[in-house]
Amino acid sequence: MPQSKPDRAPDGMTRALDEAREAAARGEVPVGAVVMRDGKVLASAGNRTLELKDPTAHAEMLALRLACEEIGSERLIGCDLYVTLEPCPMCAAAISFSRIRRLYFGAPDPKGGAVENGVRLYASPTCHHAPEVYGGLGESEAAGLLRQFFRERR
């Protein structure tokens, strides 16, 4: 379940927003993600589904994979994930399986989200690990990037 917002937005969200802008510049849906541990960036990525022709190449999935490679483990214990959009069911499950400690996300996703919306994966009794969740960090900027991106394509 979502927690209350921390007093200030964590530094990782700034980097996630940069990744989202870079994704938009490549023609991808502007979503960015950053994995951090002990104040250090382990990995960052933006959406690359079109570029890689891979439906699983969401920012979160790519950042989780890179972080796992960086530390040499499939478990990201003690790590935090910053992402500009509420994760979808696939990404929410990967976050759980990787044992992310805290999830910070920007804009909610009423249509495709799986944390505060949709299936609410972390509230399910079958969820093995639920991170602490902090939504709404950088929400206006993240939502603005998405609105602008889709407005330009209509």
Side-chain angles (χ1 to χ4, degrees):
M1 296 305 262
Q3 306 287 321
S4 62
K5 294 180 188 179
D7 292 337
R8 66 180 185 82
D11 299 332
M13 190 56 74
T14 300
R15 177 90 177 253
L17 287 162
D18 289 342
E19 288 285 352
R21 284 187 212 89
E22 291 174 20
R26 294 190 303 271
E28 302 276 0
V29 174
V31 177
V34 175
V35 177
M36 294 182 74
R37 183 167 63 185
D38 300 326
K40 178 185 172 214
V41 173
L42 295 178
S44 65
N47 275 357
R48 293 186 178 276
T49 58
L50 299 173
E51 176 187 340
L52 299 176
K53 296 176 182 32
D54 178 354
T56 71
H58 291 195
E60 302 96 307
M61 300 293 287
L62 297 172
L64 291 172
R65 288 174 188 151
L66 289 168
C68 287
E69 287 176 26
E70 176 69 20
I71 67 169
S73 175
E74 77 285 2
R75 300 282 169 94
L76 296 172
I77 298 188
C79 294
D80 301 329
L81 176 67
Y82 302 84
V83 62
T84 59
L85 182 64
E86 177 182 356
C88 72
M90 172 184 68
C91 293
I95 291 164
S96 175
F97 292 145
S98 67
R99 303 301 196 263
I100 285 289
R101 175 178 58 183
R102 292 185 196 105
L103 167 64
Y104 298 92
F105 71 87
D109 187 354
K111 289 184 181 179
V115 178
E116 289 183 347
N117 294 284
V119 299
R120 301 177 62 110
L121 182 75
Y122 304 137
S124 170
T126 60
C127 181
H128 295 291
H129 169 78
E132 293 176 31
V133 175
Y134 301 90
L137 300 171
E139 178 178 353
S140 60
E141 189 170 355
L145 287 171
L146 289 160
R147 275 193 302 276
Q148 179 181 352
F149 178 82
F150 287 112
R151 185 174 29 242
E152 291 172 0
R153 275 143 187 81
R154 290 186 179 116

